[in-house]
Amino acid sequence: MKKKTRKLLLRKYTVILLLSLLSLLYLYLGDWLFGYGPDNIGYIFNYLLYSASEKLTAAVLVLCLIVPDTVYWIRGTQPGRAAEK
């Protein structure tokens, strides 16, 4: 079970990283097409998480994504699905 759980978690984070990379490439392509240049993304990133509440919310959401998966990675099991049967 540990091997299967770890394989699923690796697949999950590989897909997340791939989609993140494709999203960034899409942003750069759009900026290039409209003539803003590659420095525009860095300029926009300065305003994405502007206030403390936005930074705190983003940190909590990332922790909610990573902490349970880290526990599942270490234990090698995921919660049971007996209620779905």
Side-chain angles (χ1 to χ4, degrees):
M1 189 62 154
K2 277 188 178 186
K3 205 173 195 179
K4 184 177 180 183
T5 301
R6 289 181 178 170
K7 188 175 180 181
L8 289 174
L9 289 173
L10 284 174
R11 188 181 307 162
K12 172 184 175 180
Y13 283 102
T14 302
V15 169
I16 288 174
L17 288 174
L18 179 66
L19 289 176
S20 300
L21 179 68
L22 289 174
S23 298
L24 284 173
L25 287 174
Y26 178 73
L27 286 174
Y28 278 113
L29 178 66
D31 281 353
W32 177 68
L33 284 174
F34 292 113
Y36 290 114
D39 296 334
N40 191 45
I41 298 296
Y43 180 75
I44 291 171
F45 279 150
N46 291 332
Y47 297 100
L48 282 179
L49 299 175
Y50 191 69
S51 66
S53 64
E54 290 174 348
K55 291 176 185 175
L56 180 65
T57 302
V60 168
L61 289 173
V62 167
L63 286 175
C64 287
L65 177 72
I66 293 175
V67 170
D69 288 340
T70 305
V71 171
Y72 298 148
W73 179 272
I74 293 169
R75 290 168 68 204
T77 59
Q78 289 184 319
R81 302 188 121 172
E84 294 179 4
K85 291 183 178 179

